[in-house]
Amino acid sequence: MAASDSELVRQTLKGDKRAFGVLIQRHQDAVFALVSRLIRNPGDVQDVAQDAFVRAYKALPTFRGDAQFGTWLYRIVWNTCLDRREQHARVQEREVQITADEEDCKGIDGFADEETPLPDAAFEADDVRRRLEACLNRLPVHYRAVLTLYYFEQKSYEEIAMVLDQPMNTIKVHLFRAKSHLRKALLAERSSEEWTA
Amino acid sequence: MTCTDFRLLAERRAAGFPLKARQERALERHLAECSACASVARFENGLATAVREFPAVTPPADFADMVLAQLPDPVTVPEPSFREYWWNLALGVLAAGAASWALWQKAPSWIPWLTGERERTQIADVLFNAYMSMGEVSLPTMSVVFLALIGLTAWGASALAVGER
C-alpha cells in the first residue's frame, strides 16, 4: 500500500529525501496545473513550481498536519506565484479593470445577481468555452486562483480560504465577482461582434 | 426551493461536487422549466470546462529529480540526545524542588510574581493546607511523591517542547 502524505512527510523529516521525491511526483501535476492558471507566461511555470517545492521542503518542519498536505502545499504555491508576480511588477498586465460599481455586488452567498444579463442559449457550448478561456486569462490573479481551486481542484470554500489565507466570505465574493466579470466580458464580446457584423 | 438555490446546485454540480439523487432530479426538473436557470447552468458548465481544459504546462519526466538536486541538506527535526534527555530530567527535578521549597517557605517575598504580602500568604496557605491534607502519609514520603510528580510533569513538558515524547 502506498504511504500516505503524512507518512512521507515524517520520513522526509527523518532525512529521507527520496520520500520527498515521492511527494513531488504525487503532487507535481496538480501544482503545474495550478501555476499554469495563475502565471501568464508558460515559460515561468516550471521555475515557479520548482521554487514552490523547494520552499515546501524547507518549510516542512512547520507542517503540523492540521490541514491536508496538498492544501498546505497549494498555499506555498500561491505565495510563490505572488512573489513571482511582484518580481514582474513592472510588466504591465492587461487585467480586466474592476470599476467601483462592480465591486459593490449583491447576492454574495449564491449566484443571485439576477440583474446581470447572462449569455443566452444562442451561445454554442464550444463557443462559450473558447471565449471563456480567453476571458479567464485576463482576470485578476485572485479571481483565477479562486476559480481554479473551486472548479479544477474541487476545493471547498473553507479549503480555498486556507490556501489563499483569506476569510471564507472573501472567497465567496471573489467567486461571485469572477463569474460576474466573465459573464459581462462574454456579453461585451458578443455585442462588439454583432456591431461589426 | 428558489431559483437562487437551483443556481447554487448547478454551480456545485458543474464544479464536480456530487449532488444527492433527489437534488439532481429537482434540478433537472427545474432547468427544464426555467430558461433563465438553464442559461446559468450552461454558463456554469462552460466555465467549469474552460477552467479544466485551460492549457497547462506538463511537468517534465525528470522534474522530481531536478527538484531533489536543488534541495539543501535534509531538514531534520533535531532529536534530543541522551545527554540532553537526562539534563532535561535534572532541570525538571531541580525546578520542581525549587518550587516545592518556595511553597514550603510560604512563598517568601522574593517571589516577584505574587503581588503583595497578604496575597502571597493567602495563596501559600491554600497550597500548604492542600498539601498537608492529602492524607495520613508521613511528611517526608509526601514530599518525595510531590517532588516526583512535579519533576515528571516538568520532564514531560520539556521533552514535548523539543518534540520527543
Side-chain angles (χ1 to χ4, degrees), chain A residues 113-164:
Chain A
D113 189 4
E114 311 279 340
E115 305 304 317
T116 308
L118 294 157
D120 62 24
F123 275 79
E124 291 296 322
D126 284 345
D127 191 32
V128 172
R129 203 178 305 153
R130 184 183 54 76
R131 287 156 191 258
L132 275 171
E133 223 171 79
C135 296
L136 266 174
N137 213 18
R138 298 202 306 266
L139 277 180
V141 69
H142 279 80
Y143 293 178
R144 269 181 284 147
V146 173
L147 286 173
T148 303
L149 290 168
Y150 189 71
Y151 286 99
F152 184 73
E153 301 293 345
Q154 292 178 2
K155 298 279 181 197
S156 64
Y157 293 143
E158 201 179 354
E159 286 173 306
I160 300 173
M162 281 175 73
V163 170
L164 305 183

Side-chain angles (χ1 to χ4, degrees), chain B residues 119-139:
Chain B
E119 288 82 0
R120 273 201 300 273
T121 312
Q122 280 175 349
I123 293 170
D125 278 347
V126 168
L127 293 172
F128 184 70
N129 288 337
Y131 177 72
M132 291 303 288
S133 61
M134 284 171 81
E136 296 282 317
V137 191
S138 69
L139 205 55

Side-chain angles (χ1 to χ4, degrees), chain A residues 40-150:
Chain A
R40 294 210 174 101
N41 181 6
D44 285 344
V45 171
Q46 188 173 321
D47 272 359
V48 172
Q50 214 161 319
D51 191 15
F53 275 113
V54 173
R55 285 188 189 194
Y57 179 78
K58 288 178 182 167
L60 217 50
T62 65
F63 175 67
R64 297 192 176 279
D66 302 335
Q68 285 181 1
F69 176 77
T71 305
W72 180 81
L73 178 64
Y74 285 163
R75 189 168 178 165
I76 292 175
V77 172
W78 168 244
N79 287 326
T80 311
C81 287
L82 289 185
D83 289 349
R84 179 58 61 108
R85 277 171 55 84
E86 259 177 43
Q87 284 170 13
H88 292 300
R90 287 182 187 177
V91 179
Q92 203 149 31
E93 295 201 328
R94 289 178 189 169
E95 290 182 340
V96 175
Q97 292 301 311
I98 308 164
T99 55
D101 59 320
E102 282 171 341
E103 290 284 339
D104 183 27
C105 56
K106 301 172 219 162
I108 284 159
D109 278 336
F111 201 134
D113 189 4
E114 311 279 340
E115 305 304 317
T116 308
L118 294 157
D120 62 24
F123 275 79
E124 291 296 322
D126 284 345
D127 191 32
V128 172
R129 203 178 305 153
R130 184 183 54 76
R131 287 156 191 258
L132 275 171
E133 223 171 79
C135 296
L136 266 174
N137 213 18
R138 298 202 306 266
L139 277 180
V141 69
H142 279 80
Y143 293 178
R144 269 181 284 147
V146 173
L147 286 173
T148 303
L149 290 168
Y150 189 71

Side-chain angles (χ1 to χ4, degrees), chain B residues 2-163:
Chain B
T2 64
C3 281
T4 305
D5 298 326
F6 283 116
R7 289 175 186 196
L8 201 57
L9 284 182
E11 176 200 286
R12 295 190 61 77
R13 184 173 72 174
F17 295 101
L19 301 185
K20 291 175 185 164
R22 63 181 168 78
Q23 287 177 321
E24 187 79 47
R25 280 196 301 274
L27 177 62
E28 283 306 326
R29 261 201 314 274
H30 181 76
L31 293 183
E33 292 164 358
C34 177
S35 61
C37 287
S39 173
V40 171
R42 263 195 305 278
F43 173 78
E44 285 288 343
N45 291 336
L47 174 59
T49 311
V51 173
R52 284 188 203 116
E53 293 181 357
F54 193 88
V57 178
T58 49
D62 58 346
F63 178 72
D65 293 331
M66 287 162 65
V67 177
L68 289 178
Q70 278 192 6
L71 297 182
D73 289 336
V75 281
T76 52
V77 174
E79 290 186 18
S81 64
F82 188 72
R83 192 174 167 184
E84 195 179 0
Y85 183 80
W86 286 105
W87 184 237
N88 283 339
L89 177 61
L91 277 181
V93 170
L94 271 176
S100 298
W101 183 78
L103 286 176
W104 185 258
Q105 296 295 313
K106 296 197 176 188
S109 58
W110 48 262
I111 298 182
W113 56 84
L114 297 181
T115 50
E117 185 67 36
R118 195 171 162 211
E119 288 82 0
R120 273 201 300 273
T121 312
Q122 280 175 349
I123 293 170
D125 278 347
V126 168
L127 293 172
F128 184 70
N129 288 337
Y131 177 72
M132 291 303 288
S133 61
M134 284 171 81
E136 296 282 317
V137 191
S138 69
L139 205 55
T141 312
M142 217 43 221
S143 299
V144 169
V145 171
F146 193 56
L147 273 175
L149 281 175
I150 296 179
L152 279 174
T153 309
W155 178 41
S158 64
L160 276 178
V162 292

